[in-house]
Amino acid sequence: DTTWPSSLWVKRAFVAVVAVALSPDGKVLAATAHGMTKRAWHRISTTIDVGAIRLWDTETGAPIGEDLRGHTEVVNALVFSPNGKILVSASSDGTILRWDANTRAQIGEPMESRNGAVFTAAISPDGERVASGAEGGTVQIWNGETGAPIGDPLRGHKNAVNTVAFSPDGKFLASGSRDKTIRFWDAKTGTPIGEPLEAHEDSVTSVAFSPNSKFVASGSSDKTIRLWNAETRTPTSEPLSGHGGPVNSIAFAPHGKFIASGSGDTTIRLWDAETGAFIGEAPDGHGGPVHCVAFSLRNKLLASGSSDFTVRLWDAEIGALIGAPSESRAASTNAAPLSIQSNSLPSAPDDKAIQPQASTNSAPAGGLPDGHDNSITTVTFSPTGELLASGSRDKTILLWDTKTGTPIGEPLKGHDESISSVAFSPNAKLLASGSEDRTVRVWDAKTGASIRGPLDGHDGPVNTVAFSPNGKSLASGSGDKAIRVWDTETGTPIGEPMDGHDGPVLTIAFSQDGRFIASGSAEGTVRLWDAETYVLLGKLIEDRTRTVQSIVFLSNGQLIVHYRDGFTKLLDPPTLPITDSGVTMSHYTIKSLFPSPQSIPLGSQGQWVTFRSKRLFWLPSKYWNSNEDLTLIHISHGTLVFATGSHLVMYDVSHALEL
């Protein structure tokens, strides 16, 4: 009679837990979370920096020593070596670090990815190799002892690699990607094995081998789990369905009989690894999306981490019956909460979406009706603020009336993959879109008709698009590290591709006088180009510890550079020539927005923001910790819009900011 694991203890993190790992003997639990930097507006007694890792004693629930610090951005993956002596961490800062699990000291120099943020890592069974998957769609194998790369990056995926796993017998390496495929590689040589597996309908988020290496399980944002024969790479059963949200993480139990899955629907489920039959669901589960699950190897413990700010540890031995409340055997003796905290102000009450400073309120302009069938990946306002465009992983674009909150017309269809970026022309008559299908399209913003495209030329996903101030040209940046410029009227390319970045181009912007194009990349650089000749003028910033998320030129020529970790720089207007020393002055601040009449992306970090106003208001964490996917936040003309999962909500903040 199979039963659900009973709960051992719960640790509250106050920030979304994104990665957990259990040591092979089950004695140590490692976890990391979306933290905030120390530069905050409110002091609290216990903090954790972005990129920090905390260790706990699983028997007592007590933290072990000081936090492990070395990463500068969010840690996306944690894994212990098979002998439990080494902990490996992978981060959005583009590095992989090795730690001595006993002394908690960093081992050697960072392993640096040249393909953007590192989303996943795995250690070979013999501990001699480390594999990592990066934002640029590559897999890299490293020497586990020296940290040196072994050979060139393994290429084949067309989008970011979310997950990698070695087979326990050491023969295979499997990788899963946002391109919806799973690829197999020879773990020794890096040679691709067979064709990619293409059964999933959305991003592959997690892959795991069975303990006997005969089977592979894959989880996906399409809400399903699939089981494969590792030798023949053929499915062994129908898709395992039941989750109501993306499957974020899967893990085989050490005995190989069960598979655990954690989902965006807040649940943890157990499945029969042989038949795929549903066994049961955690009765007292998480209150938010489950991002990670992990078993220990030599005993029966299961750890899980969630956006509800908790790490939970489960006893995987026979416990309460499936569906019955689990007993927390250690919770009563470990009642002291708070194992990880962020330097954030307390969230607003549940009935208040925005807590403005100095009284006043900000009324919702309305929750927008459901329109997309999958996660929203990008939003932007028209220059006048009357229209809002949203792009989604459902491959469509929707236009919205910001006054009424209603969609305008039918979805714009034409792209074959997820929408990465949308931008209005200066006169608001045209809308451009970039997609993971490597193309750019131009639409009539009034009728929704496709009038240009597909514009082909990029060899990677199109991550960003931007119109020139006169609307005559359109620039696009891609995962192929290049920028292309197109004639808006004809759709033909202008000049040669602009090459200069060492990583995927994630954001581009024209200066308002039309003289410059600025581009930001996953490798942490911001480069400046002549907007007429398309010649590289120089490098404004080089900070390879961070990933550039968005760039905005202000009307006075200043440049806002916003990083994925929430850090923001305000640069003085560029002066020529650009020297190796970069810009003459940069202003460091934790504010996410500076006075400007433009539509500016605020990213996903909850911070104090302002908009052409002396007032500030706080965006509580409950509105920027997404329940399904990255929350997008934009502001324009006194309207604030949130995109969480497949839903949009707008708020009128003009009164709160005295606009």
Side-chain angles (χ1 to χ4, degrees):
D1 186 17
T2 307
T3 60
W4 178 259
S6 60
S7 176
L8 283 177
W9 51 255
V10 179
K11 286 293 178 182
R12 177 163 291 276
F14 282 102
V15 278
V17 178
V18 294
V20 295
L22 277 164
S23 61
D25 60 10
K27 294 182 178 180
V28 179
L29 171 66
T32 186
H34 281 304
M36 297 286 289
T37 62
K38 285 185 176 179
R39 302 178 64 195
W41 293 81
H42 186 67
R43 293 182 179 179
I44 53 180
S45 58
T46 306
T47 63
I48 185 168
D49 293 339
V50 170
I53 303 161
R54 183 154 295 179
L55 304 179
W56 289 275
D57 184 309
T58 58
E59 293 184 1
T60 66
I64 302 173
E66 298 295 323
D67 294 341
L68 310 184
R69 303 174 188 274
H71 290 293
T72 58
E73 291 194 35
V74 172
V75 176
N76 298 310
L78 295 169
V79 58
F80 279 96
S81 61
N83 61 13
K85 294 182 179 180
I86 296 175
L87 175 68
V88 169
S89 56
S91 169
S92 290
D93 64 12
T95 68
I96 303 104
L97 298 181
R98 294 165 296 151
W99 309 86
D100 186 305
N102 292 323
T103 66
R104 300 180 300 283
Q106 183 178 324
I107 301 173
E109 296 297 316
M111 297 181 277
E112 297 185 357
S113 166
R114 302 294 292 177
N115 290 277
V118 183
F119 294 139
T120 179
I123 302 177
S124 63
D126 57 11
E128 295 182 358
R129 287 173 169 80
V130 174
S132 62
E135 185 174 31
T138 62
V139 176
Q140 179 68 60
I141 299 177
W142 312 79
N143 185 302
E145 182 176 351
T146 66
I150 300 175
D152 294 326
L154 310 183
R155 303 183 185 277
H157 286 295
K158 299 176 182 178
N159 207 326
V161 176
N162 294 324
T163 176
V164 291
F166 283 99
S167 61
D169 62 11
K171 292 182 179 180
F172 303 126
L173 174 67
S175 57
S177 167
R178 290 182 188 172
D179 65 9
K180 310 177 188 178
T181 71
I182 302 158
R183 287 183 174 267
F184 281 75
W185 317 82
D186 185 299
K188 298 290 186 182
T189 66
T191 304
I193 301 174
E195 296 297 316
L197 310 184
E198 299 181 333
H200 282 294
E201 298 177 356
D202 207 334
S203 176
V204 179
T205 56
S206 183
V207 292
F209 280 91
S210 62
N212 61 10
S213 299
K214 292 183 178 180
F215 303 100
V216 174
S218 59
S220 169
S221 295
D222 66 9
K223 307 177 185 180
T224 69
I225 300 163
R226 289 182 177 266
L227 300 178
W228 311 83
N229 183 299
E231 287 287 346
T232 64
R233 294 171 299 284
T234 55
T236 62
S237 68
E238 293 297 314
L240 281 56
S241 302
H243 279 299
V247 178
N248 295 323
S249 182
I250 54 176
F252 274 92
H255 48 53
K257 296 179 181 179
F258 307 144
I259 298 171
S261 59
S263 169
D265 65 8
T266 76
T267 67
I268 303 170
R269 287 176 170 244
L270 285 184
W271 312 82
D272 187 297
E274 183 176 351
T275 66
F278 171 61
I279 294 174
E281 182 177 306
D284 291 329
H286 287 284
V290 180
H291 295 299
C292 42
V293 292
F295 281 99
S296 62
L297 294 180
R298 292 198 278 272
N299 64 6
K300 299 177 180 179
L301 295 179
L302 173 67
S304 58
S306 166
S307 287
D308 68 0
F309 313 155
T310 66
V311 177
R312 294 174 184 256
L313 190 66
W314 308 84
D315 184 345
E317 294 181 355
I318 299 301
L321 293 175
I322 295 174
S326 60
E327 294 182 2
S328 180
R329 292 188 284 172
S332 60
T333 59
N334 295 285
L338 319 186
S339 51
I340 305 177
Q341 294 185 6
S342 69
N343 289 354
S344 59
L345 289 177
S347 296
D350 290 342
D351 61 345
K352 294 183 180 180
I354 296 184
Q355 188 73 21
Q357 188 183 34
S359 71
T360 76
N361 64 348
S362 56
L368 304 188
D370 292 345
H372 288 292
D373 296 327
N374 207 326
S375 299
I376 295 169
T377 55
T378 179
V379 292
T380 191
F381 284 95
S382 65
T384 61
E386 296 177 355
L387 299 177
L388 177 73
S390 60
S392 168
R393 287 182 181 169
D394 66 9
K395 310 174 189 178
T396 71
I397 302 159
L398 283 174
L399 294 173
W400 308 82
D401 185 315
T402 59
K403 293 182 179 179
T404 64
T406 56
I408 301 172
E410 296 297 316
L412 281 54
K413 298 180 179 180
H415 284 293
D416 296 326
E417 297 290 344
S418 174
I419 310 299
S420 304
S421 180
V422 287
F424 282 97
S425 62
N427 61 10
K429 292 183 178 181
L430 302 178
L431 179 72
S433 58
S435 167
E436 291 181 3
D437 66 10
R438 307 185 179 191
T439 69
V440 177
R441 288 180 176 268
V442 181
W443 314 80
D444 186 309
K446 184 176 182 180
T447 66
S450 177
I451 58 176
R452 302 281 183 274
L455 309 184
D456 296 306
H458 283 294
D459 294 326
V462 178
N463 299 320
T464 177
V465 291
F467 280 96
S468 62
N470 61 15
K472 293 183 179 181
S473 59
L474 171 68
S476 57
S478 167
D480 63 10
K481 308 177 187 178
I483 301 162
R484 286 181 173 267
V485 181
W486 314 84
D487 186 295
T488 306
E489 184 67 27
T490 65
T492 56
I494 303 174
E496 296 298 317
M498 299 153 64
D499 296 314
H501 283 289
D502 296 328
V505 179
L506 303 181
T507 177
I508 49 180
F510 283 88
S511 61
Q512 294 195 28
D513 59 10
R515 296 176 57 200
F516 304 122
I517 298 174
S519 57
S521 172
E523 96 275 11
T525 64
V526 175
R527 297 177 184 269
L528 193 70
W529 312 78
D530 188 302
E532 293 186 1
T533 65
Y534 311 120
V535 172
L536 178 62
L537 299 176
K539 188 187 302 178
L540 295 180
I541 295 176
E542 182 173 13
D543 184 353
R544 294 183 182 270
T545 65
R546 289 188 162 94
T547 296
V548 180
Q549 177 171 301
S550 62
I551 296 175
V552 177
F553 270 105
L554 301 183
S555 56
N556 62 3
Q558 289 181 306
L559 191 66
I560 293 177
V561 180
H562 186 72
Y563 294 91
R564 181 163 292 167
D565 62 3
F567 193 77
T568 302
K569 287 184 179 180
L570 178 65
L571 308 183
D572 283 345
T575 57
L576 300 180
I578 303 297
T579 64
D580 290 340
S581 60
V583 296
T584 56
M585 182 180 296
S586 62
H587 309 270
Y588 293 75
T589 177
I590 69 166
K591 295 179 185 177
S592 291
L593 184 63
F594 293 85
S596 169
Q598 298 163 247
S599 169
I600 296 181
L602 306 185
S604 60
Q605 305 294 327
Q607 297 178 10
W608 288 98
V609 296
T610 185
F611 181 74
R612 289 185 297 164
S613 168
K614 295 180 180 179
R615 293 196 172 195
L616 303 174
F617 65 87
W618 175 253
L619 300 182
S621 61
K622 63 176 288 186
Y623 295 98
W624 51 265
N625 275 339
S626 167
N627 287 334
E628 293 183 2
D629 250 307
L630 180 68
T631 301
L632 302 171
I633 309 169
H634 275 244
I635 191 168
S636 179
H637 297 269
T639 300
L640 186 69
V641 62
F642 295 82
T644 304
S646 59
H647 302 286
L648 288 173
V649 180
M650 289 192 297
Y651 294 90
D652 180 5
V653 295
S654 58
H655 180 62
L657 295 179
E658 295 184 338
L659 298 180

